Amino acid sequence: MQTLLNLLAGVSLLVWGTHIVRTGILRIYGGDLRRVLRRSVSKRGSAFLAGLGITALIQSSTATALIVAAFAGQGFIGTAPALSVMLGADVGTALVTLVLSFDLSWLAPFLIFVGVVLFLSLQNTMTGRFGRILIGLGLIMFALQWISVAAKPVVQAAGVKVIFASLTGDVLLDMLVAALLTILCYSSLAVVLLLAALAGLQVLSLPVALGLVLGANLGSGLLGMLSTLRSPPEARRVTLGNFLFKLIGCVLCIPLVGHIESWIDGLALDSAREVVLFHLAFNIVLALVFVGLTDRIARVAERLLPDRPAADDPAKPRHLDPSALETPALAISFAAREALRIGDVIEQMLAGLLTVLKTNDRTLAERLRRMDDVVDELYTAVKLYLTQISREALEEREGRRWADIVSFTINMEQVGDIIDRILTDLEEKKIDKGRNFSGAGMAEIYDLHARLIANLRLGLSVFLNGDLKSAQELLAQKVLFRDLERAYADSHLSRLAGNTADSIETSSLHLDLLADLRRINSHICSIAYPILEQAGVLARTRLKAPEPPPAEAVSLDADKAEWPSRKPTAA
């Protein structure tokens, strides 16, 4: 029992090590890797090399598939170049498997030691995060040694020999077992390394090992498809096309397994080396055969997964791709795009509000109130999406962006609530009673409304670009808007004093409307605060410093150690 637990622990450590390396590299270099991908997809060869290089770094073709699929889902990459990237990714992960299969036992303790020292001493820095990657690499190498040691007693057990003997000669069964194991481990790299270790211990015969390697590759394609099930069709085409590559390759390879076995036997290599070299050769041949056929496979994938119909429900998120959550920086950018949609809905509501003020259109007012429900649902979707992103996985800049998006969506949701309340008041106090604002009052509302729309557009630009100068201009507009609101309120009171009939009838509504517009503007201008605070130009308070009290009021009574009391003076 102890031996079996040791073997399972070694396999688990191998899977965990690959996970640490993958997530660590994505956290540190995720943004740079995405930029490389986007710049390299114009040509088939550069796309292939980009996929190879990036996967060699992150040690996971599945992680690369999720990144590329997310780009394809957002329309940044076409299906054909994305498939070229995936062919390179498969070769990249096979090369990593070959490197890790060498005897690096001397390196494992060194990497773990250095990684732990860096991570614990500089945990919140780039160097500390790099230490985490070194720990993952060391764990992979250590796990491979552990598996070799733990598997030796298992090999001698008669029952184990019977189990592995049952796999001999049935390539399809071998492929099925390895595919399921790959999905369970979430890593074809870990599975192939495990197979190589078992082959080196003579637990697996060469024919069985070849079938299992084919199954691991097939499982990698299935894993990509499963990881993008909730993604749009444009994203799922990438993983579907990559699965078709592997499926066709495995089907063509099955009748040739006997010939391949004879050819490999003639090389007289170590059994473990034979496994990883076959894995590498399979992916290289696959790339050479299909790199010129990516357009055709892309068309097949597009036929099997046609474009989704235009979304009729405006409250349904369009950019919150679940597959991007594996790459926190990418998920942050998608959340920002969805947050901008909320700003667009708010702009439509503000534009419609002025029409309701002019025409008393009750139908439009009801439609605008339903748009507030859209804002609420989008706000909830963005908030829940952001909560799925680990804050620890974000760099300092990305962490600030995460907080900015939360702040922005909260402000936009509150603006929607204010507009909803304004519309209700207009129906009850103006439309139902057939009242109208005075001409001068409407002119003032028009002016504030125009400034509000302009400030909202400036605020959206500040949120998108983070420009300091625009943020300063937005904050200056807040002060100007507040002063105008006060001036227009005074003008309204002057009209009341002049007994203007329309002003008297709508006085309460008019003053409430001016105050609500000011509150909306305050929420919009709050978008500038994070940029100004980061730049160090945001004042802590607008309150004047209190004047110091008279000297006798602040002097301490030395004997009683308390503030001296003041006797009331006679009136």
Side-chain angles (χ1 to χ4, degrees):
M1 185 64 181
Q2 182 65 43
T3 301
L4 180 60
L5 286 176
N6 287 338
L7 182 58
L8 292 175
V11 174
S12 301
L13 196 60
L14 178 61
V15 174
W16 181 243
T18 57
H19 171 76
I20 289 177
V21 174
R22 179 179 71 246
T23 56
I25 290 179
L26 286 176
R27 289 171 184 176
I28 299 177
Y29 306 111
D32 295 331
L33 296 180
R34 291 194 308 276
R35 281 189 288 274
V36 169
L37 275 178
R38 292 190 62 180
R39 293 171 183 170
S40 305
V41 296
S42 56
K43 295 182 180 179
R44 193 171 296 166
S46 60
F48 174 85
L49 292 176
L52 188 154
I54 289 173
T55 307
L57 282 175
I58 61 179
Q59 301 187 11
S60 173
S61 59
T62 302
T64 305
L66 292 177
I67 296 174
V68 177
F71 281 155
Q74 297 299 318
F76 297 149
I77 302 177
T79 305
L83 292 178
S84 297
V85 173
M86 288 312 305
L87 287 172
D90 293 333
V91 175
T93 191
L95 286 172
V96 172
T97 307
L98 176 63
V99 172
L100 293 177
S101 68
F102 288 101
D103 183 12
L104 301 174
S105 56
W106 60 271
L107 189 57
F110 174 76
L111 291 178
I112 293 175
F113 172 75
V114 174
V116 169
V117 171
L118 292 177
F119 183 72
L120 293 181
S121 59
L122 302 168
Q123 188 167 352
N124 295 322
T125 65
M126 188 77 73
T127 305
R129 296 189 182 99
F130 184 74
R132 191 173 184 269
I133 297 174
L134 296 181
I135 295 172
L137 287 171
L139 288 178
I140 291 173
M141 300 171 190
F142 183 69
L144 291 172
Q145 301 171 44
W146 191 339
I147 291 170
S148 298
V149 173
K152 287 180 180 178
V154 177
V155 176
Q156 300 171 0
V160 173
K161 293 180 179 179
V162 172
I163 292 174
F164 283 106
S166 66
L167 296 175
T168 304
D170 192 339
V171 179
L172 291 178
L173 177 60
D174 298 343
M175 289 173 57
L176 177 61
V177 170
L180 292 176
L181 184 60
T182 301
I183 293 172
L184 290 175
C185 294
Y186 202 79
S187 172
S188 61
L189 170 65
V191 171
V192 174
L193 287 174
L194 175 62
L195 296 176
L198 294 176
L201 294 170
Q202 305 303 316
V203 176
L204 297 175
S205 63
L206 183 58
V208 173
L210 297 183
L212 291 172
V213 168
L214 292 176
N217 281 275
L218 193 62
S220 175
L222 283 170
L223 186 58
M225 292 182 64
L226 293 174
S227 301
T228 56
L229 277 179
R230 294 186 295 167
S231 301
E234 294 83 357
R236 285 186 286 138
R237 289 172 190 160
V238 177
T239 54
L240 172 61
N242 189 48
F243 172 73
L244 291 177
F245 289 149
K246 295 176 181 294
L247 180 62
I248 296 171
C250 288
V251 170
L252 294 177
C253 211
I254 288 174
L256 302 176
V257 166
H259 301 288
I260 296 173
E261 178 193 349
S262 301
W263 178 72
I264 293 178
D265 276 336
L267 299 177
L269 297 174
D270 176 71
S271 298
R273 189 76 61 243
E274 291 174 347
V275 170
V276 294
L277 286 177
F278 171 70
H279 177 53
L280 176 61
F282 174 78
N283 283 283
I284 290 177
V285 171
L286 213 62
L288 292 175
V289 171
F290 286 107
V291 74
L293 303 174
T294 52
D295 290 329
R296 295 185 181 181
I297 298 296
R299 285 194 292 270
V300 172
E302 289 167 359
R303 197 174 300 118
L304 294 174
L305 293 172
D307 290 336
R308 57 187 171 183
D312 297 327
D313 186 4
K316 185 176 181 181
R318 298 176 185 172
H319 306 294
L320 304 182
D321 190 344
S323 64
L325 292 169
E326 284 286 331
T327 312
L330 183 60
I332 288 289
S333 66
F334 287 166
R337 293 187 66 187
E338 199 66 49
L340 285 173
R341 279 193 65 211
I342 301 177
D344 293 338
V345 177
I346 291 295
E347 184 174 351
Q348 295 175 30
M349 292 178 70
L350 281 175
L353 176 62
L354 186 62
T355 303
V356 174
L357 284 167
K358 291 178 183 178
T359 62
N360 290 343
D361 189 338
R362 192 186 302 272
T363 303
L364 177 58
E366 179 61 31
R367 189 161 67 247
L368 293 177
R369 274 205 299 271
R370 287 197 298 270
M371 292 177 71
D372 180 51
D373 296 333
V374 173
V375 170
D376 291 340
E377 292 189 32
L378 290 177
Y379 161 70
T380 301
V382 172
K383 179 178 63 176
L384 293 177
Y385 187 77
L386 288 172
T387 58
Q388 297 178 64
I389 302 174
S390 171
R391 296 293 300 275
E392 297 178 355
L394 300 175
E395 298 177 8
E396 182 181 354
R397 176 178 56 83
E398 294 164 346
R400 288 196 301 267
R401 186 58 169 165
W402 187 97
D404 292 349
I405 297 171
V406 172
S407 175
F408 175 84
T409 54
I410 289 174
N411 280 301
M412 291 298 100
E413 192 270 339
Q414 291 176 344
V415 168
D417 290 342
I418 295 173
I419 296 174
D420 182 48
R421 187 173 65 250
I422 291 174
L423 292 167
T424 301
D425 288 346
L426 286 175
E427 284 192 336
E428 294 177 355
K429 300 178 181 180
K430 182 174 183 288
I431 298 176
D432 291 346
K433 297 181 179 181
R435 293 172 178 173
N436 290 295
F437 295 120
S438 65
M442 279 300 296
E444 294 166 357
I445 293 172
Y446 286 168
D447 180 46
L448 289 181
H449 182 274
R451 293 176 183 273
L452 204 58
I453 292 290
N455 288 347
L456 175 60
R457 291 171 179 169
L458 179 60
L460 295 178
S461 175
V462 169
F463 173 73
L464 182 62
N465 302 316
D467 180 61
L468 178 59
K469 185 176 180 181
S470 299
Q472 291 173 320
E473 180 183 350
L474 186 59
L475 194 61
Q477 289 295 323
K478 179 179 180 179
V479 178
L480 176 60
F481 198 98
R482 184 190 64 222
D483 294 340
L484 278 175
E485 185 263 337
R486 291 176 179 172
Y488 289 156
D490 291 340
S491 297
H492 174 74
L493 295 177
S494 298
R495 290 193 294 273
L496 288 181
N499 292 323
T500 304
D502 288 339
S503 296
I504 293 173
E505 290 178 347
T506 60
S507 177
S508 174
L509 177 61
H510 188 91
L511 292 175
D512 287 345
L513 180 58
L514 295 180
D516 284 336
L517 293 179
R518 175 177 54 79
R519 278 191 282 271
I520 291 175
N521 189 69
S522 295
H523 284 298
I524 293 172
C525 294
S526 296
I527 300 170
Y529 288 161
I531 292 93
L532 298 174
E533 186 175 6
Q534 183 184 348
V537 297
L538 186 64
R540 294 180 64 85
T541 178
R542 292 197 301 268
L543 296 175
K544 293 182 178 179
E547 295 182 3
E552 64 273 14
V554 297
S555 62
L556 266 173
D557 189 318
D559 296 330
K560 298 181 180 179
E562 62 182 7
W563 297 104
S565 60
R566 286 180 175 269
K567 294 182 179 180
T569 56

